[in-house]
Amino acid sequence: MHTPSREKIFQMFDSIAPTYDLVNRVMTFGLDQYWRKKLVRSLPNEGSLKVLDCATGTGDLVVAMMEGCPRITEMVGLDLAEEMVALAKKKIEGKPFASKVAWQVGSALDLPFADTTFDVVTIAFGIRNVTDVSLALNEFKRVLKPGGRLLILEAALPQNNILRSLHLFYLRHILPRVGGWISGAKSAYRYLNETIETFPSGESFCHLMRGAGFKEVEVTGLTGGVVVVYSGVA
Ligand SMILES: C[S@@+](CC[C@H](N)C(=O)[O-])C[C@H]1O[C@@H](n2cnc3c(N)ncnc32)[C@H](O)[C@@H]1O
């Protein structure tokens, strides 16, 4: 399988959908679920919440938020990849919160929602995949109510030189092999390390958020900085 252009990236995700969760658990040693729970702790701590989870994939962040924050009254999970959304739907069948969750196939670059609809917009391991990051940030700002919160969970490279070298070795040499072996699509996991290495992170990404009109922009590193949470207020 060749690495597709970013425009076609959702087709790549459709093709790896059946093994997506398993590869995540194996290649992060289960830490991916811990990172999602950390994002849940950054949700606003009062009032009822209407939340949009963009690039929801197989819905793991939706599940973490619905289980960790009972104040969420409405949740929409949106993704371009139909197969990922189908798995997300199946994942929450029979869960007590299922009736509060709606799923939508759509793009973060052209959100099918009116202005000022949501209290919170989240995106986990998704912003790196969109073709126009500033456009996506503008869309998040548009659909958030004034004072609403944007929370972004994303892979990054540690600041510490030793950790950074070790992590780069893992990303370049181990992760594509393990991901490729389980999913049968080595290029998908080569794509992962290439985008992590080139995507703007830390202060550069905070600058993009401020450019889209977000205030109180903060970045918090997790697990030595291999993952970061960005937070901003609309
Ligand atoms: C690495 S997965 C992350 C899935 C999930 N958020 C998680 O935490 O596992 C990235 C997702 O971004 C989606 N995606 C890429 N571009 C998108 C866009 N423009 N709009 C919506 N989803 C997009 C892909 O289809 C894929 O499901």
Side-chain angles (χ1 to χ4, degrees):
M1 191 176 116
H2 297 293
T3 304
S5 65
R6 284 197 169 201
E7 284 79 4
K8 300 278 176 184
I9 210 66
F10 66 94
Q11 292 172 357
M12 180 190 85
F13 280 105
D14 267 341
S15 73
I16 60 168
T19 54
Y20 177 80
D21 286 358
L22 176 64
V23 175
N24 275 354
R25 295 305 107 78
V26 171
M27 74 187 189
T28 68
F29 309 100
L31 284 167
D32 63 313
Q33 293 292 56
Y34 159 78
W35 295 326
R36 292 187 186 90
K37 285 183 185 151
K38 287 294 256 188
L39 181 146
V40 176
R41 291 203 204 150
S42 300
L43 286 168
N45 49 20
E46 50 191 33
S48 62
L49 300 175
K50 186 170 175 175
V51 181
L52 168 66
D53 183 41
C54 256
T56 195
T58 57
D60 275 345
L61 183 58
V62 166
V63 174
M65 287 194 277
M66 296 311 292
E67 288 181 345
C69 182
R71 285 176 300 97
I72 298 176
T73 51
E74 280 180 71
M75 167 72 71
V76 181
L78 173 139
D79 200 287
L80 267 176
E82 285 181 38
E83 296 298 326
M84 299 285 269
V85 175
L87 289 170
K89 269 187 198 161
K90 203 172 279 176
K91 188 176 278 177
I92 67 156
E93 273 171 14
K95 300 259 187 204
F97 54 77
S99 62
K100 295 180 185 168
V101 181
W103 302 103
Q104 192 138 1
V105 174
S107 174
L109 302 179
D110 185 16
L111 291 173
F113 308 106
D115 296 0
T116 65
T117 301
F118 296 97
D119 300 293
V120 177
V121 172
T122 57
I123 180 164
F125 309 113
I127 194 71
R128 196 169 20 87
N129 296 298
V130 303
T131 47
D132 186 335
V133 175
S134 292
L135 179 55
L137 292 172
N138 287 337
E139 278 292 88
F140 301 157
K141 173 81 168 43
R142 181 183 68 75
V143 300
L144 276 167
K145 295 174 187 172
R149 182 87 47 93
L150 172 65
L151 293 170
I152 298 177
L153 185 62
E154 193 46 87
L157 293 175
Q159 301 286 310
N160 175 287
N161 283 340
I162 297 170
L163 282 181
R164 193 184 175 92
S165 303
L166 289 171
H167 192 53
L168 277 171
F169 181 82
Y170 177 71
L171 287 177
R172 288 174 183 168
H173 303 291
I174 299 175
L175 189 144
R177 285 187 175 85
V178 176
W181 177 63
I182 301 174
S183 68
K186 190 171 177 181
S187 62
Y189 291 92
R190 174 73 61 203
Y191 163 84
L192 179 61
N193 92 280
E194 284 164 3
T195 54
I196 294 172
E197 289 187 41
T198 53
F199 193 71
S201 68
E203 193 42 46
S204 317
F205 190 78
C206 291
H207 183 70
L208 291 178
M209 286 178 68
R210 289 190 198 98
F214 287 95
K215 298 169 286 191
E216 299 171 39
V217 174
E218 285 173 12
V219 54
T220 309
L222 303 176
T223 317
V226 297
V227 161
V228 286
V229 179
Y230 298 99
S231 167
V233 174

